[in-house]
């Protein structure tokens, strides 16, 4: 039966977590077109890939080899004319933005939806009046003749009733008049007396009231004059405050000052180095580079970068990402160790909820920010770093929480830290990652791919030594750099030798006078025999066994340190016997100390 053709999985967007940004075709914004999510290759494809790699022993060597990336110059005078012009145009845009003080201005808020006008609520009286008017309008009309007849009838009935009432009232009034006249005479005399007394009292009260009014008016005059004085003083103060505000405004009208990574945007040659990074990240498209720069400045203000570098996140992630030493060209080296997340406790502590993921992202940005701030942005100095990514025991691409945090961090780092990585070195790379890289490599530019270096477990130390001196490579990656007080430091150089399969190699330390010889030796992966002897210069001298011959297993991945007190001229000989079918990497160094008399 013919086999059905297998469709290869679509190229994923996912990239290794914790890695600092390397431009992937330099997307202009984070809101780019969505790309397909990563899909794990099928079991059949995995088996086929694994068998092909086993059948091709040189596949790892081919992948680890890459076109060496050469950093462009930051000296403006050495740039091509087109790049010089792009830099000048970008500086003009930045200067205009600083003059107008809108480089750090927040983004304008989105317009609010129009609100409907509220209905007018009328007062009850007005509403009742209007209702009455409407009722009157709706009432049926009556003719004028009918109205007159009704009014005439009503008047005749009212006249008859009133005439009867008048006759009765006249009789009663005549009797009352006679009685009231007598009473009135008495009351009139008494009222005259009361009136005279009241008039006298009123005259006294009026005089007193006049006096009180005069006093009150005098007080009011005094208060009015005082209030006028207070108003004049307040007006004078307001005029002074207004003049002070105008002077402050006049002072603030000048161009704003903006710094990024401790360097002003427009100041000197160091500013040009920063602007060139944004230009290179956008392929020297001036408007795109300016837009990226503006967004970065605003993001740094909103994210609170200056305060972030001072935050204390504890020591939980100290072994996940750390900076140690520099490469052979002087770039600081940052190590990303994915295998630390193999610990379920640390994984859950970092990625179990959104708050913890955001904390981890802030810590990751803090690490990069501190690394960038330690760089020298002079045109001839080092202004990029080297990333070493250890994929040993990596959780892989299936961890959803890790993938979410990684994508979020990568977008932030990619958009706000352009062109800060000189080399991306991947070590202890599993077979599945090599297959993954083959799928996504067509989407990388040649510039990006030239920064990538891959090495499997057996080639990791050797690959690191190509770019980093062995004395600066951490102990866990095959080098001799380790913490704590040691006989040797990173300032003591290391000699590196390759021992071919099924051969012996001898290392000699000649000594011409009395002294105390100390040395340390390491074979990456060991699985060799080791012996150390002292051979005197005189023919009748005796050879002294310093270290008996012993087989050192691969599990003994450590550094052997020895010392020997020498009383005569001679040499110390170290012999390494490699009886395996693989070449070995030998590292050693020594020093002689004088013997105190």
């Amino acid at each position: 039966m013919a086999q059905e053709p297998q469709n290869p999985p679509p190229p994923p967007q996912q990239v290794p977590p914790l890695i600092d940004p390397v431009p992937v075709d330099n997307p202009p914004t984070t809101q780019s077109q969505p790309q397909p999510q990563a899909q794990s290759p099928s079991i059949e494809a995995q088996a086929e890939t694994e068998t092909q790699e086993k059948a091709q022993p040189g596949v790892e060597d081919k992948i680890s080899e890459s076109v060496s990336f050469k950093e462009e110059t930051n000296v403006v005078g050495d740039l091509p004319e087109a790049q010089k012009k792009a830099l000048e145009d970008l500086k003009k845009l930045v200067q205009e933005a600083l003059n107008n003080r809108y480089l750090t201005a927040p983004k304008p808020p989105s317009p609010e939806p129009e609100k409907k006008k509220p209905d007018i609520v009328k007062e009850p009286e007005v509403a009742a009046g209007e209702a009455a008017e409407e009722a009157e309008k709706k009432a049926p009309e009556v003719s004028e003749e009918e109205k007159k007849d009704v009014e005439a009838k009503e008047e005749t009935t009212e006249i008859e009733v009133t005439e009867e009432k008048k006759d009765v009232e006249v009789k009663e009034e005549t009797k009352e008049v006679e009685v009231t006249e007598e009473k009135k005479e008495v009351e009139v005399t008494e009222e005259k007396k009361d009136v005279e007394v009241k008039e006298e009292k009123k005259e006294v009260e009026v005089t007193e009231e006049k006096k009180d009014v005069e006093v009150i008016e005098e007080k009011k005059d005094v208060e009015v004059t005082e209030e006028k004085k207070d108003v004049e003083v307040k007006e004078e103060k307001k005029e002074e405050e207004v003049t002070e505000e105008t002077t402050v405004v006049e002072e603030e009208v000048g161009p704003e000052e903006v710094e990024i990574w401790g360097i002003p945007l427009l100041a000197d040659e160091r500013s040009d180095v920063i602007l060139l990074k944004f230009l290179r990240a956008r392929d020297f498209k001036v408007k795109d580079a300016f837009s990226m720069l503006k967004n970065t400045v605003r993001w740094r203000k909103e994210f609170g970068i200056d305060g972030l570098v001072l935050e204390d996140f504890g020591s939980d992630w100290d072994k996940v990402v750390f900076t140690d030493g520099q490469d052979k060209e002087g770039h600081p080296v940052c190590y990303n160790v994915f295998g630390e997340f193999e610990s379920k406790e640390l994984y859950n502590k970092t990625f179990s909820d959104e708050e913890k993921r955001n904390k981890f992202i802030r810590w990751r940005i803090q690490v990069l920010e501190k690394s960038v701030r330690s760089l020298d942005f002079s045109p001839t100095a080092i202004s990029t770093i080297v990333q070493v990514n250890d994929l040993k025991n990596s959780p892989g691409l299936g961890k959803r929480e890790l993938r979410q945090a990684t994508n979020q961090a990568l977008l932030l780092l990619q958009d706000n830290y352009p062109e800060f990585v000189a080399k991306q070195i991947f070590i202890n790379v599993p077979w599945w990652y090599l297959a993954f890289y083959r799928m996504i490599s067509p989407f990388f530019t040649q510039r990006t791919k030239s920064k990538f270096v891959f090495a499997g477990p057996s080639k990791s130390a050797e690959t690191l030594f190509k770019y980093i001196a062995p004395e600066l490579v951490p102990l866990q990656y095959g080098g001799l750099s380790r913490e704590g007080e040691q006989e040797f430091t990173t300032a003591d150089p290391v000699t590196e030798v390759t021992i071919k399969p099924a051969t012996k190699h001898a290392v000699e330390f000649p000594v011409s006078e009395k002294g105390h010889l100390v040395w340390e030796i390491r074979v990456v992966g060991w699985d060799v025999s080791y012996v150390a002897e002292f051979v005197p210069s005189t023919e009748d001298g005796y050879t002294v066994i310093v270290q008996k011959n012993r087989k050192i297993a691969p599990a003994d991945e450590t550094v052997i340190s020895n010392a020997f007190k020498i009383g005569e001229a001679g040499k110390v000989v170290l012999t390494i016997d490699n009886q395996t079918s693989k070449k070995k990497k030998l590292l050693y160094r020594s020093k002689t100390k004088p013997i105190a008399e």
Side-chain angles (χ1 to χ4, degrees):
M1 294 177 64
Q3 295 181 352
E4 295 181 359
Q6 296 182 354
N7 295 324
Q13 183 184 7
Q14 176 69 29
V15 293
L18 311 179
I19 302 170
D20 286 337
V22 173
V24 180
D25 291 339
N26 298 322
T29 61
T30 57
Q31 299 177 350
S32 57
Q33 295 293 331
Q35 298 182 6
Q37 295 294 324
Q39 296 184 7
S40 301
S42 62
I43 298 175
E44 293 82 358
Q46 294 178 4
E48 182 180 357
T49 306
E50 188 172 6
T51 53
Q52 287 179 357
E53 291 177 355
K54 290 180 179 178
Q56 299 176 3
V59 68
E60 187 177 317
D61 296 335
K62 292 180 181 179
I63 293 175
S64 64
E65 294 176 0
S66 64
V67 180
S68 178
F69 171 72
K70 185 178 181 181
E71 290 187 88
E72 297 91 342
T73 179
N74 287 320
V75 179
V76 177
D78 297 337
L79 296 174
E81 291 300 323
Q83 295 183 7
K84 287 182 183 178
K85 185 178 184 305
L87 178 60
E88 289 301 320
D89 292 343
L90 179 58
K91 291 168 75 172
K92 289 178 182 178
L93 290 177
V94 173
Q95 186 64 67
E96 181 182 356
L98 294 175
N99 291 340
N100 295 326
R101 307 183 68 83
Y102 68 77
L103 191 61
T104 58
K107 296 180 181 179
S110 57
E112 297 182 357
E114 295 183 358
K115 297 182 179 179
K116 293 183 179 180
K117 294 183 178 179
D119 296 334
I120 299 174
V121 180
K122 299 179 179 179
E123 295 182 0
E125 295 177 357
V126 176
E130 291 179 354
E133 291 177 0
E134 290 180 359
E136 289 178 359
K137 290 178 182 178
K138 293 180 181 178
E141 295 181 356
V142 181
S143 64
E144 293 181 357
E145 293 179 357
E146 291 176 351
K147 288 182 179 180
K148 289 179 180 180
D149 294 339
V150 172
E151 291 175 356
K153 290 179 181 179
E154 290 177 351
E155 288 178 357
T156 54
T157 55
E158 287 178 357
I159 290 169
E160 293 175 355
V161 172
T162 53
E163 286 179 353
E164 293 177 356
K165 289 182 178 180
K166 286 180 180 179
D167 293 337
V168 175
E169 290 175 355
V170 168
K171 293 177 181 180
E172 292 177 351
E173 286 178 358
T174 54
K175 292 180 180 180
E176 291 176 357
V177 167
E178 294 175 357
V179 177
T180 53
E181 285 178 354
E182 294 176 359
K183 292 181 179 180
K184 283 181 180 180
E185 291 177 359
V186 178
E187 289 176 355
V188 167
T189 55
E190 292 177 353
E191 286 178 357
K192 286 180 180 180
K193 293 178 181 180
D194 293 336
V195 169
E196 292 175 357
V197 174
K198 289 180 181 178
E199 287 177 352
E200 292 177 358
K201 290 181 178 180
K202 284 182 179 178
E203 289 177 358
V204 174
E205 290 176 356
V206 168
T207 55
E208 291 177 353
E209 286 179 358
K210 287 181 180 179
K211 291 179 180 180
D212 294 337
V213 169
E214 291 174 356
V215 173
I216 292 169
E217 288 177 351
E218 289 177 359
K219 290 182 178 179
K220 287 183 178 179
D221 293 337
V222 174
E223 290 176 354
V224 169
T225 54
E226 290 178 352
E227 287 178 357
K228 286 182 180 179
K229 291 180 181 179
D230 294 338
V231 170
E232 291 175 356
V233 172
K234 290 180 180 178
E235 288 178 352
E236 290 177 357
K237 289 183 178 178
K238 286 182 179 179
E239 290 177 357
E240 292 177 357
E241 291 176 355
V242 170
T243 54
E244 290 177 356
E245 288 178 358
T246 53
T247 54
V248 172
V249 170
E250 290 175 357
E251 291 176 357
E252 293 180 351
V253 169
E256 62 181 339
E257 296 181 0
V258 177
E259 290 187 355
I260 185 168
W261 303 302
I263 308 297
L265 286 182
L266 293 176
D268 50 29
E269 294 177 333
R270 298 179 301 166
S271 304
D272 292 343
V273 173
I274 291 177
L275 296 181
L276 282 171
K277 288 182 180 295
F278 286 91
L279 284 169
R280 290 188 174 113
R282 293 294 177 258
D283 198 21
F284 282 89
K285 296 177 182 178
V286 178
K287 291 184 179 179
D288 291 344
F290 176 73
S291 178
M292 183 183 187
L293 175 63
K294 179 177 64 177
N295 292 335
T296 296
V297 171
R298 290 178 177 176
W299 171 81
R300 292 175 66 83
K301 183 178 181 181
E302 294 171 0
F303 206 78
I305 294 296
D306 292 335
L308 176 65
V309 295
L310 302 176
E311 289 187 33
D312 183 9
F313 292 96
S315 58
D316 293 335
W317 301 307
D318 287 353
K319 294 182 178 180
V320 176
V321 180
F322 60 91
T323 302
D324 190 355
Q326 59 188 22
D327 72 347
K328 293 180 179 179
E329 296 179 357
H331 300 96
V333 181
C334 181
Y335 292 85
N336 301 289
V337 187
F338 306 137
E340 292 295 324
F341 289 120
E342 190 180 24
S343 167
K344 292 183 179 180
E345 181 181 356
L346 182 60
Y347 186 91
N348 293 329
K349 194 174 183 178
T350 306
F351 303 112
S352 59
D353 57 50
E354 185 176 0
E355 182 180 355
K356 293 176 181 178
R357 289 193 295 269
N358 289 336
K359 181 180 179 182
F360 173 75
I361 290 170
R362 289 179 63 82
W363 170 81
R364 186 65 188 90
I365 293 174
Q366 183 195 66
V367 173
L368 180 58
E369 180 72 20
K370 288 181 177 180
S371 298
V372 170
R373 292 190 179 200
S374 66
L375 297 173
D376 185 352
F377 286 95
S378 300
T380 57
I382 299 296
S383 61
T384 53
I385 62 178
V386 169
Q387 289 282 328
V388 176
N389 308 289
D390 182 11
L391 301 182
K392 185 178 181 180
N393 299 324
S394 172
L397 304 177
K399 295 288 187 179
R400 182 178 60 87
E401 300 86 359
L402 176 60
R403 187 169 64 251
Q404 289 176 349
T406 297
N407 289 337
Q408 185 179 353
L410 281 174
L411 288 177
L412 291 175
L413 300 177
Q414 174 178 273
D415 291 343
N416 300 290
Y417 294 88
E419 296 297 313
F420 276 104
V421 178
K423 186 72 66 178
Q424 288 277 12
I425 304 175
F426 297 85
I427 60 174
N428 295 314
V429 179
W431 66 267
W432 59 263
Y433 194 85
L434 298 178
F436 165 79
Y437 174 73
R438 291 191 189 98
M439 289 189 294
I440 65 175
S441 61
F443 298 90
F444 292 141
T445 62
Q446 185 58 37
R447 174 188 175 87
T448 298
K449 288 190 287 187
S450 68
K451 295 182 179 183
F452 285 3
V453 177
F454 296 91
S458 63
K459 301 289 184 182
S460 294
E462 182 180 351
T463 301
L464 287 178
F465 296 157
K466 291 180 180 179
Y467 304 99
I468 308 170
E471 61 268 21
L472 298 177
V473 174
L475 192 70
Q476 63 267 36
Y477 298 126
L480 296 178
S481 176
R482 52 198 187 275
E483 297 179 355
E485 294 185 4
Q486 307 292 334
E487 188 68 48
F488 295 90
T489 67
T490 55
D492 297 313
V494 172
T495 302
E496 178 186 347
V497 178
T498 300
I499 305 176
K500 295 180 180 180
T503 59
K504 291 183 179 182
H505 183 81
V507 177
E508 296 183 356
F509 301 131
V511 180
S512 59
E513 55 186 12
K514 294 180 180 180
H516 196 77
L517 180 68
V518 294
W519 69 90
E520 62 182 14
I521 182 174
R522 179 175 191 175
V523 176
V524 180
W526 287 102
D527 197 19
V528 297
S529 297
Y530 165 70
V531 62
E533 302 174 319
F534 171 73
V535 180
S537 299
T538 58
E539 295 182 358
D540 55 351
Y542 294 95
T543 300
V544 178
I545 304 297
V546 178
Q547 172 66 56
K548 293 182 179 180
N549 187 22
R550 70 185 184 96
K551 182 71 176 289
I552 304 175
D556 301 330
E557 185 71 16
T558 183
V559 178
I560 295 178
S561 299
N562 284 127
F564 184 70
K565 185 177 180 179
I566 300 173
E568 58 181 317
K571 60 183 177 181
V572 173
V573 181
L574 312 179
T575 305
I576 296 92
D577 187 3
N578 177 22
Q579 294 301 318
T580 67
S581 59
K582 299 179 181 179
K583 60 183 179 181
K584 299 289 183 178
K585 185 65 65 176
L586 167 65
L587 310 174
Y588 65 89
R589 56 185 169 182
S590 67
K591 64 172 64 173
T592 303
K593 296 181 178 180
I595 299 175
E597 297 294 341

